[in-house]
Amino acid sequence: MEHASDHWSIGIFVAVLSIIILYKIVTAQRGKPPTIRRIAGLNAIDEAVGRATEMGRPILMVPGIGGLDIPALQALNIFGYIGRSVARFGNRTILAVADPQLVGVGEEVIRDAYTSAGRPELFNAEDVRFLSDRQFAFASGVAGVIEREKVAASFLMGAFFAESLIIAEVGQRVGAIQVAATNQFTQLPFFIATCDYVLLGDEFYAASAYLSKNPTLLGSIVGQDYAKLLILIVVILGTLSACGVLMLPAGHVHDLLQRFMDLFKS
Amino acid sequence: MRTLFHSIPHTHPLYYVALLATVAAGIGILALLQALPTRLRRPLIALVTFLGGLYYAAEFFIPTGWGVHKGVDGNFLSPYFDKVANISSVLGSFSIGLGVFSLIGMHLRIASRRRESWGFSLMLLISFVAMTIFTLLNEYAGKSVVIPSVAGHSSITNHDIYVVLFNGGLASLDSAMFALIGFFIISASYRAFRIRSVEATLLMASAIIVMLGQVTLGSWLTGGLPSHGPLAFFRFENMSEYILVHLNAPAQRAVTFGLALGVLATSLRLWLSLERGLYFDQE
Amino acid sequence: MDNNVWQKLQSIDPRALYVVVLVMISASIVLPGLTLPIIPGQQSKDAFNAVVKAANTPGSKFMLVSGWWSASTRGENDPQTRAILTHLMRLHVPFGVLSFDPQNPQLMDNIETSLAQKYGYVYGRDYINFGYQVAPAQTLKGIVTNMKGTLKTDWHSKPLETFPVMANVNSIKDVAAVIDITPVSSLDAWLGLVVQKYHTPFIYVPTAVMAPEGYPYRDSGQVAGIVIGVKGAGDYETLLGVKMQGTQVSTALSMVYALIILLVIVGNIGYHGARRAAALQAAGEGRGQS
Amino acid sequence: MSADYLHHLLLPKLLLGAIGTIAILSLVFRENKLYRLFEHVFLGLATGYGLATTWTQVLRPKWWDPMVGGGEWIWILAAPLGLMFYGVYTKKFAWMARLIFGLYFGLAAGTVFQGFAEEYVPQIRASFKPLIAHGAVTAAMAVNNWIFVIILICVLVYFFFAFEQNSAVIKRSASAGRVMLMIAFGAIFGSTIMIREALLIDRIRFLLIEWLQLGHIFR
């Protein structure tokens, strides 16, 4: 088991990244909220929701199959915003989950969305559905829901694995507008092939900030950018050090460069 | 833990006293929580969230060797690692009812009110009950429950039924659902691999090169090229390997860094209850 | 050409494609004569030669086969295992199977028993199953110095001392080669904990998805050869001069891949044809107005 | 058709597996009653199995056995605390569910520091690659290292959200990053096809060879 003190440099590096993010959150909360770049997939949400309502067909949301993890909570957070939009249009939201705890959390999120949009009477607890915590049983259940409810839009966000293609292809077949985001790099190509919009990489984590324009979340995104910049600088310095270590004869500079590289060695 | 709460053999009367007292204390805690003024609820939730994350964070950041004897790995919090994981998985398991009630409850309602296509719901309920019973029987009774012979067939045991349900049912359905992707991946590539833009073209080209690097068909097409020297690079298996190792890996790594920072930031906001959004904002 | 034709080419009903795939796969499975000739890749050849070399090196010929796969990757790992074990039995090499997945011992046993009869292999004399190892890292560390002490029993809980095949196998030094059949990241564990100690020849037999993990180690010589997925199994069978599942599945795969490439070409012809037709039409309308 | 063959076809384990497989695979053509039947059976079996194994693999060994067999009476406290999850069903106690979910949010968040240090920092270290051919580093390796670093940087730049991308260099790097991403996605797509088809072939083999035993007919 790794501890910070096993390699203090690594522990401190993780702490520094955290502090950068927290600092940017605090400054954004106090000052002028920052702006972030456009994320194409998210502009399509209102259009998708509106079209679904015209067609009189419901909207499906799936927060992945990873259980109560950070990606699922991020997905539910985004679904909360989309849910408000759905509620304003007076449409139905079906939330399909693969974890018992997410039934509890998900029900509250969707209920809150309908309540804060002023349409609490439209919320139906039966539309927050636990299907299975078993990967392919869940996929079969979601495919069934998509086919029988003829969903008009589906939002697939969170940790998806091989089942991604089953869910998205069935959605494609019923003509649903699909927006997807996942932390699993290996599933992104399949979402790209089947969905209308895909949030790549950490666009997923920027989505809630983009939708809510909430200073805390926007500040967090700025912090993440600075943390990313720090990683970029470290990689460039490390690459230059690697060149130096290779070329320079043994001596102080050589040792210094080697020591810099070893800061990140576990 | 062990020093605070001595275990008592369950044959001892005191054990039952301790059990009852703990249950009473537990209910007392719940009652006390409920009696708490409403405005204190949100800070309390924030506190509990913070404490939940604090163990792992502190266990990581506190230097090894603090508060433990020499030779023990980690710090004074480390010996509880398994205990915390156990408690969290046990307590978490109590939530399984939320899932079961959601699914089974809905189908019970459909079946009992004979709503549209209630027969399917009935089959779901029967499968659920049968699987629960025979999985438990298999665990507890081994092969001992013999179901007497039916219409001349030799008698069968509970284990035989379990095998039919598990292998014939659950495992087969799992593999069949997985195998569906074999069909879907073909229609997906037919639709997606179009020379529409530079991006789409590159996606298609790299997919096809990697595909051909994996099958005999590819070996045929470029089998004539020498296996050594500069031209060997253009054999599909070599181009495919190059794309996977040298072009895919750095792109994947860069995306991973961004995702990792996203998780770090989301975790920090959750842990410190900085999130002022849905769910977390309600009392 | 009529614009409708272009449209049709780029929007073939997926169900038609599924039927074609179904027929192609079924035919290649049911008709044993329907196989495509296979050109074995260099990596498969290296693996094959490494096994032959290890079997001909003086000293203990005992080989370790490690299985990390379960029924879920049976499609790839079963043909691989069949090809490898056929080779070992032909070379009269004694071997032991270590399983790192609870389902694996049974799956391995099915393959062993189906092949054993043909090659006169007897359990306990010529080969052995060590069963499911719960803690991979500890097992791997242990077998380096003390094989019997670490593994203790076979998968039926019979002490290893009772099996003649184990008589002279005490540590990793008595192992002529390690063959790792795996759908998971097991490579680092084997290389780090076992192989590098005495430079035991190591043959990597992964699913296609896992194969890239092995490339860097092949260049450095730590991996003697890689048998990649079903294609590798087919290559291996060709090198053995037999036609089994690997060849059949390789054939089916080549046909499916050819279909995909054909579809991509057809789809693109349709897409660009339609665009050109639309452009021509627009140009024609333009002329009419002037 | 011989009696033996018929008997084989009707073996319950094989028969259920075969019909179930056909039912599930039929979804590719369209949703139908047979699929719907087995979808419901699947969900029922999976939930039953999940419930039973939650008891046999988690609650019995980690909770019941230590509590009863080991006399660790304090474990009974998990029962009233576990009850808090069910607060979601009532308005009055809903906040208690939020309380216990809060605990789990905390647990999920708390592991992030260790996870980051163990999983990602080594990847940062592994990205320090020499760009010059010298000594053990061949010219080909140096070229590959250049490619590695350039792709890594371009893709990282693409994912900046808050910094304004107004310099031409940055803009071009970002779009190059997107292009490199597409190549990577193509590679993943291409390398996944084989295992997916292998699984489909395995299922068709199950139906045709293991169940219908058609292999013998044509041999």
Side-chain angles (χ1 to χ4, degrees), chain A residues 3-5 77 80 84 100-101 108 112 126 130 134 136 140 162 166 169 183 185 205 214 217 220 224, chain B residues 59-60 64 78 95 99 102-103 109 115 174 177-178 181 187 191 259 263 265-266 269 275-276 278 282:
Chain A
H3 289 89
S5 59
N77 216 343
R84 285 182 186 179
Q101 299 193 14
E108 297 277 290
D112 287 350
E126 244 181 38
F130 170 82
R134 203 178 171 88
F136 290 108
S140 83
I166 302 176
E169 268 288 309
N183 63 338
F185 188 85
Y205 289 101
N214 173 323
L217 298 179
S220 174
Q224 280 161 251
Chain B
E59 202 273 336
F60 174 68
T64 51
S78 307
S95 70
S102 167
L103 182 77
R109 282 191 294 276
R115 280 200 243 160
D174 255 338
M177 203 69 205
F178 204 168
I181 307 171
S187 43
R191 219 178 27 245
L259 284 168
V263 172
T266 311
R269 296 196 311 263
E275 197 99 19
R276 285 280 171 267
L278 297 145
Q282 315 286 316

Side-chain angles (χ1 to χ4, degrees), chain D residues 11 22 26 34 43 51 58 67 74 91 106 108 138 162 179 209 211:
Chain D
L11 278 176
I22 293 168
S26 75
L34 191 64
L43 291 178
L51 183 63
V58 183
M67 183 170 74
I74 187 71
K91 228 177 170 151
T138 63
V179 164
I209 306 288
W211 184 51

Side-chain angles (χ1 to χ4, degrees), chain B residues 15 88 92 94 206 242 279, chain D residues 67 73 86 98 104 144 183 197:
Chain B
Y15 173 79
S88 107
F94 276 90
S206 99
Y242 191 85
Y279 193 76
Chain D
M67 183 170 74
W73 48 270
Y86 298 86
R98 285 175 192 266
Y104 277 87
N144 287 337
I183 294 178
E197 296 308 328

